[in-house]
Amino acid sequence: MPNYIVVLQGAWIVRNVKSVKDAMNIAVAEAGKRLHPDLDFVDIDVGLTRCPRCKQDLKSVFLVANTALVGLTFEMKVFNAQSREHAIRIAKYELGKRLQRVPLEVLEVVEIK
């Protein structure tokens, strides 16, 4: 059975924050606390969003009134999945039960050898 790398994107809300950098650090730290130690093999990072006007990649953070919406990416290796769709279901299940009320969307699925 093949192995996959599944990359999911999640929306994380951070309250009472003064700067974009603080919002990014807090979001990654809070997500890490929820996933570790059970899923310490999941890589967490701040996602990128392409600017529709200038076409440059920008960090996925929106800060208004000391509240930030941070787009996080979660990269997870899924071993012995029956198919690409099965790998997605496994990743969403494992992350979803630890990140309750965090919407998750599939960004990428790559088969690894």
Side-chain angles (χ1 to χ4, degrees), residues 50-56:
R50 184 167 295 261
C51 175
R53 187 170 195 156
C54 67
K55 307 297 184 205
Q56 290 186 1

Side-chain angles (χ1 to χ4, degrees), residues 19-39:
S19 71
V20 169
K21 188 168 186 158
D22 287 344
M24 292 188 299
N25 291 337
I26 291 168
V28 170
E30 287 178 354
K33 284 181 187 176
R34 286 203 199 169
L35 295 180
H36 298 290
D38 297 335
L39 295 179

Side-chain angles (χ1 to χ4, degrees), residues 36-105:
H36 298 290
D38 297 335
L39 295 179
D40 60 352
F41 52 87
V42 176
D43 292 328
I44 305 166
D45 201 1
V46 177
L48 297 174
T49 301
R50 184 167 295 261
C51 175
R53 187 170 195 156
C54 67
K55 307 297 184 205
Q56 290 186 1
D57 288 332
L58 306 170
K59 293 286 187 180
S60 296
V61 182
F62 185 66
L63 178 64
V64 175
N66 294 334
T67 303
L69 177 63
V70 181
L72 295 179
T73 59
F74 304 94
E75 184 176 308
M76 177 179 179
K77 288 183 182 174
V78 178
F79 298 99
N80 299 323
Q82 296 171 354
S83 66
R84 181 180 191 274
E85 291 74 25
H86 186 228
I88 292 169
R89 283 195 310 272
I90 291 170
K92 279 188 168 183
Y93 173 77
E94 291 298 329
L95 291 170
K97 71 181 180 181
R98 290 166 179 85
L99 302 175
Q100 296 174 358
R101 295 188 313 250
V102 174
L104 296 171
E105 177 183 276

Side-chain angles (χ1 to χ4, degrees), residues 2-19:
N3 302 320
Y4 295 89
I5 293 178
V6 180
V7 181
L8 300 174
Q9 177 175 296
W12 201 275
I13 297 174
V14 181
R15 291 180 172 76
N16 299 321
V17 67
K18 300 289 183 193
S19 71

